[in-house]
Amino acid sequence: MEEFTGVLSMVDRQQPLILHKNTFDPIRMGVIGVGNMGQHHSRILSLLKDVELVGVSDVSVERGIDIASKYRVRFFENYLDLLPHIDAVCIAVPTRLHHSVGIDCLNAGVHTLIEKPIAASITEAESLVNAAADSKGILQVGHIERFNPAFQELSKVLKTEEVLALEAHRMSPYSQRANDVSVVLDLMIHDIDLLLELVSSTVVKLTASGSRRSNSDHLNYVTATLGFANGIVATLTASKVTHCKIRRLAAHCENCLTEADFLNNDILIHRQTTANYSTEYGQVWYRQDGLIEKVHTTKVEPLHAELEHFVHCIRGGDQPSVGGVQALKALRLASSIEQMALDGKIWQQSDINYQYLNPLSSKTF
């Protein structure tokens, strides 16, 4: 997509946003960027209860008019002209534009959902977090896998298990989509966010390596290994050069192996039940029986659940489960992994004093 243009909003940053508490008025919403992801935001917002999709904006007039006509809403060639007509917005523009568009929306008094990653740099992400705090508005970031039914159920299962290690694979064939960032910021950051949510501990060791296609400006394949203060280790692998699509997260636990398949919405729990030896014709035979449990999950579309959560936060004033602070943590760790994969160095906690519990520190995981 081309660059979005327009003057900066002059709305007072300190003006608090109005939450839609205890009111039956529909929340007026818009979508900025109606390409690969934004068109789905438009589709779901047009169906949500107590939401009015007012309009969409895109630098492609043809695409914008097509989506606007499909859902019978207004098209705005300049997204700044959309802002006075809405209470909340979904931003699905290229990563390099997240900061500039997001700042305009927050400064205009509009609750904002930005697709992941929150921004192209840590500095830009911090700026968005601060702008949201100043405006007292909702800032949610589109880490959609948090709302995947398979992850929701996986989280419940692991609360009763002693996790020893986590292993994530997120692989895709090569495409022209999201080629303005590395595979770390495009794909791996999903699993980074899930990992930080599941482990809730300090990263004390990190290694990463990667490779790229000969004609690529960014890393296309990266694997990273993380060690946490609580003893859990994790391995993350992300690829844009794998000839099939994989979205899996496995938890190696004291009493089981739990595997979540985010594509097929499946969770399998492997348990060892019995092991015995027997002797037959002078030979010793070993037999191990196992049990595989399949966990029931719902069929809710993750994006639908994510947008419903956004609306709920606007209505009640609750903080999003993936707000700016959580997204900033994921971006900091992703940036460290990306840099390490590029220069091949190994980082340990003794090298730099990272303060994990201070989410606004520039060196926080």
Side-chain angles (χ1 to χ4, degrees):
M1 294 177 66
E2 302 171 17
E3 295 282 349
F4 280 81
T5 58
V7 296
L8 292 176
S9 169
M10 300 303 292
V11 175
D12 182 4
R13 292 184 62 203
Q14 301 301 322
Q15 179 181 352
L17 300 189
I18 299 174
L19 299 176
H20 288 68
K21 290 186 177 180
N22 303 318
T23 176
F24 294 100
D25 294 335
I27 297 176
R28 302 169 302 158
M29 297 191 69
V31 178
I32 300 175
V34 289
N36 182 62
M37 197 67 187
Q39 61 180 314
H40 294 296
H41 281 273
S42 303
R43 169 178 59 83
I44 293 173
L45 290 176
S46 71
L47 301 173
L48 283 185
K49 182 181 178 181
D50 298 330
V51 167
E52 178 189 358
L53 179 60
V54 172
V56 300
S57 179
D58 198 282
V59 292
S60 169
V61 174
E62 181 180 359
R63 180 170 58 228
I65 291 177
D66 179 62
I67 296 297
S69 300
K70 185 174 183 178
Y71 299 108
R72 298 182 179 181
V73 298
R74 292 180 61 184
F75 168 69
F76 296 82
E77 188 170 356
N78 188 325
Y79 71 87
L80 293 174
D81 296 330
L82 167 66
L83 302 185
H85 303 279
I86 58 177
D87 306 305
V89 67
C90 296
I91 298 174
V93 300
T95 301
R96 69 182 185 279
L97 302 176
H98 283 189
H99 176 259
S100 59
V101 178
I103 287 292
D104 282 343
C105 293
L106 290 168
N107 287 353
V110 175
H111 300 288
T112 301
L113 186 153
I114 302 177
E115 271 301 324
K116 62 80 200 165
I118 180 174
S121 70
I122 293 172
T123 300
E124 290 182 350
E126 289 175 338
S127 174
L128 286 167
V129 170
N130 291 332
D134 289 345
S135 68
K136 297 181 174 60
I138 299 298
L139 171 61
Q140 183 171 326
V141 182
H143 283 277
I144 193 171
E145 291 289 34
R146 287 276 199 106
F147 299 90
N148 191 308
F151 179 73
Q152 297 282 330
E153 293 302 321
L154 176 67
S155 299
K156 295 176 184 177
V157 170
L158 296 186
K159 286 179 180 179
T160 62
E161 299 290 344
E162 182 179 349
V163 179
L164 303 177
L166 293 163
E167 185 179 359
H169 291 84
R170 190 167 294 265
M171 333 286 275
S172 291
Y174 184 78
S175 74
Q176 295 301 320
R177 187 196 67 82
N179 281 334
D180 58 330
V181 294
S182 75
V183 69
V184 178
L185 294 184
D186 181 30
L187 297 181
M188 185 180 283
I189 197 166
H190 281 297
D191 295 315
I192 290 172
D193 175 65
L194 300 185
L195 189 67
L196 293 177
E197 174 69 8
L198 291 174
V199 176
S200 299
S201 182
T202 307
V203 178
V204 295
K205 187 175 181 180
L206 173 63
T207 61
S209 58
S211 62
R212 70 183 82 193
R213 289 164 54 101
S214 58
N215 61 343
S216 176
D217 295 329
H218 301 282
L219 292 166
N220 302 123
Y221 184 100
V222 172
T223 183
T225 301
L226 298 84
F228 290 86
N230 61 4
I232 294 176
V233 296
T235 302
L236 306 177
T237 302
S239 171
K240 285 186 175 182
V241 291
T242 300
H243 296 281
C244 64
K245 194 172 183 179
I246 300 171
R247 303 285 189 271
R248 292 181 187 148
L249 177 60
H252 301 262
C253 306
E254 184 75 25
N255 298 312
C256 67
L257 166 65
T258 302
E259 296 180 298
D261 185 334
F262 299 136
L263 284 182
N264 299 310
N265 201 22
D266 288 334
I267 295 181
L268 298 179
I269 303 176
H270 303 261
R271 300 187 189 276
Q272 178 181 330
T273 54
T274 61
N276 57 71
Y277 294 87
S278 62
T279 303
E280 186 175 346
Y281 300 110
Q283 292 184 315
V284 178
W285 299 88
Y286 173 75
R287 177 178 177 178
Q288 178 175 307
D289 294 325
L291 174 68
I292 300 178
E293 304 171 21
K294 185 171 183 178
V295 179
H296 173 73
T297 60
T298 66
K299 299 299 181 183
V300 175
E301 182 181 357
L303 184 59
H304 191 283
E306 180 182 67
L307 291 175
E308 278 193 329
H309 179 68
F310 183 43
V311 171
H312 169 77
C313 292
I314 295 171
R315 285 282 184 199
D318 297 333
Q319 288 301 311
S321 58
V322 192
V325 171
Q326 291 83 2
L328 181 53
K329 284 184 180 181
L331 180 63
R332 284 178 176 144
L333 182 49
S335 298
S336 295
I337 290 173
E338 183 178 55
Q339 187 59 48
M340 193 162 297
L342 288 170
D343 62 29
K345 293 183 179 179
I346 297 177
W347 174 86
Q348 296 193 53
Q349 190 182 40
S350 57
D351 297 334
I352 303 175
N353 182 24
Y354 281 83
Q355 297 296 322
Y356 179 74
L357 295 179
N358 178 5
L360 295 185
S361 167
S362 63
K363 294 180 178 178
T364 295
F365 285 167

